[in-house]
Amino acid sequence: MPQRPSPRATGGGAHGVLITAPSLNAFTEGLGMTRRRGTCVLAEALAFAATGKVKADIELQALAAINDVFTRLEHGDVPSRVVLDFGGH
């Protein structure tokens, strides 16, 4: 089981937690990370995405660019998410 962050590290826990796995462990961990009066969601957030109300900023990179991607991550030069294309397309 992964180590949970200390509530002191976040000033009492997360304000919002998105649980995407329908399992008891995921809910237990998600609720454990949420601060008092925080929000914990699953189906509602996924429904927003399904109706197109959430846009993901995704950058596709070839697997050969992995070293450059790691360097950019270390320097904070990745604004959102990088997905590696294992097919080389």
Side-chain angles (χ1 to χ4, degrees):
M1 179 184 263
Q3 184 78 14
R4 286 191 207 159
S6 165
R8 289 177 289 193
T10 59
H15 289 279
V17 175
L18 172 63
I19 301 172
T20 58
S23 72
L24 182 57
N25 283 344
F27 278 96
T28 301
E29 288 183 23
L31 289 173
M33 291 183 227
T34 308
R35 68 174 53 225
R36 289 180 191 243
R37 302 203 187 269
T39 302
C40 194
V41 296
L42 179 99
E44 297 91 345
L46 297 177
F48 282 129
T51 59
K53 295 179 181 173
V54 176
K55 301 291 183 212
D57 186 14
I58 299 171
E59 175 185 335
L60 183 65
Q61 290 286 339
L63 182 59
I66 187 128
N67 290 332
D68 179 54
V69 170
F70 280 132
T71 300
R72 290 176 50 214
L73 284 168
E74 288 175 347
H75 292 100
D77 293 334
V78 176
S80 56
R81 178 177 301 196
V82 175
V83 175
L84 296 174
D85 182 0
F86 284 79
H89 303 295

